[in-house]
């Protein structure tokens, strides 16, 4: 994929989260750690998918809000837009696994642009469920995009994931 312009678009939630089976307060979200590694290795532009309404810092409270949003098929409003989406042909799309797929904010993001003809490369952090049905959901929302096999990393393993990320990226070059 030489000569392609790439964007890393990711959702990641700071605050209380699971790390190796215990709840800890994360200053940088797990998915953001991976997004930054991909940025270092590819030089891609970065875009944080952020919601206008913040989720509670408390983990359990957040899981409740997220479950309700999923049941209601909500589309949380986002704070920013990618002005020049047309200029990117590769999108690294990052998110945590929330209830088996990506957070509803990522549904909002994917419905906000035309990804036809672009390549979408998912990456996900999780606490045991892997990438879940998120790849299928991307394909449903972006039927005219090429969706490559994603990378799933457990939240507790993000700190030492350099080689994993590097080897995964090599598959796409
Ligand atoms: C609302 C919510 C729902 C979650 N649901 C799942 C799940 O279904 N499966 C799973 O493996 N992990 C689940 N997790 C754990 C996160 O996927 C994991 O901690 C992830 O690394 C968080 O990434 P972040 O720090 O970038 O937000 C959930 C976490 C939250 C907050």
């Amino acid at each position: 994929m030489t000569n392609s312009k790439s964007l890393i678009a990711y959702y990641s939630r700071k605050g209380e989260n699971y790390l190796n089976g215990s709840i800890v307060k994360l200053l940088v979200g797990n998915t953001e750690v991976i997004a930054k590694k991909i940025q270092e290795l590819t030089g891609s532009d970065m875009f944080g998918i952020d919601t206008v309404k913040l989720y509670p810092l408390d983990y359990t409270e957040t899981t409740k809000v997220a479950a309700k949003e999923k049941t209601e098929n909500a589309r949380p409003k986002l704070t920013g837009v990618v002005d020049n989406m047309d200029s990117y042909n590769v999108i690294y799309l990052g998110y945590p696994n929330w209830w088996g797929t990506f957070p509803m904010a990522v549904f909002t993001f994917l419905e906000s642009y035309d990804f036809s003809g672009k390549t979408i490369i998912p990456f996900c952090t999780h606490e045991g469920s892997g990438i879940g049905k998120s790849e299928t959901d991307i394909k449903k929302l972006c039927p005219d995009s090429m969706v490559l096999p994603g990378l799933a990393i457990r939240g507790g393993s993000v700190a030492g994931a350099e080689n994993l990320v590097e080897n995964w990226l090599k598959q796409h070059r």
Side-chain angles (χ1 to χ4, degrees):
M1 280 185 205
T2 341
N3 296 329
S4 56
K5 193 171 175 209
S6 54
L7 175 73
I8 302 161
Y10 68 97
Y11 176 84
S12 186
R13 177 184 150 274
K14 296 180 186 67
E16 276 189 3
N17 221 330
Y18 265 100
L19 201 76
N20 290 327
S22 340
I23 293 190
V24 292
K25 194 170 171 187
L26 298 178
L27 296 177
V28 179
N30 292 327
T31 310
E32 186 169 356
V33 173
I34 301 301
K36 286 180 172 160
K37 286 191 201 302
I38 297 173
Q39 206 280 330
E40 281 164 27
L41 292 161
T42 62
S44 310
D45 293 342
M46 294 263 259
F47 177 78
I49 302 170
D50 290 314
T51 51
V52 171
K53 197 169 168 213
L54 296 177
Y55 292 90
L57 282 184
D58 182 87
Y59 178 80
T60 310
E61 287 306 313
T62 297
T63 60
K64 287 182 195 162
V65 176
K68 187 166 179 278
E69 285 181 349
K70 190 168 185 233
T71 309
E72 293 173 351
N73 200 20
R75 295 292 183 271
K77 280 207 173 64
L78 306 182
T79 54
V81 288
V82 179
D83 294 325
N84 50 345
M85 187 59 94
D86 285 354
S87 66
Y88 298 104
N89 39 14
V90 175
I91 316 291
Y92 294 97
L93 182 69
Y95 45 83
N97 182 327
W98 277 16
W99 296 117
T101 187
F102 37 77
M104 299 318 288
V106 179
F107 282 81
T108 310
F109 177 79
L110 289 175
E111 287 174 354
S112 301
Y113 306 91
D114 180 7
F115 291 98
S116 307
K118 299 187 193 296
T119 300
I120 301 179
I121 313 180
F123 61 99
C124 159
T125 69
H126 64 94
E127 192 53 33
S129 315
I131 205 143
K133 65 190 277 287
S134 62
E135 286 169 318
T136 313
D137 285 339
I138 298 171
K139 287 176 189 163
K140 272 191 212 152
L141 290 170
C142 309
D144 299 318
S145 306
M146 169 116 80
V147 183
L148 299 188
L151 175 70
I153 301 181
R154 207 172 173 126
S157 305
V158 296
E162 274 86 6
N163 289 344
L164 200 65
V165 174
E166 204 169 347
N167 288 333
W168 171 72
L169 285 171
K170 276 184 195 152
Q171 295 170 25
H172 309 132
R173 291 176 182 221

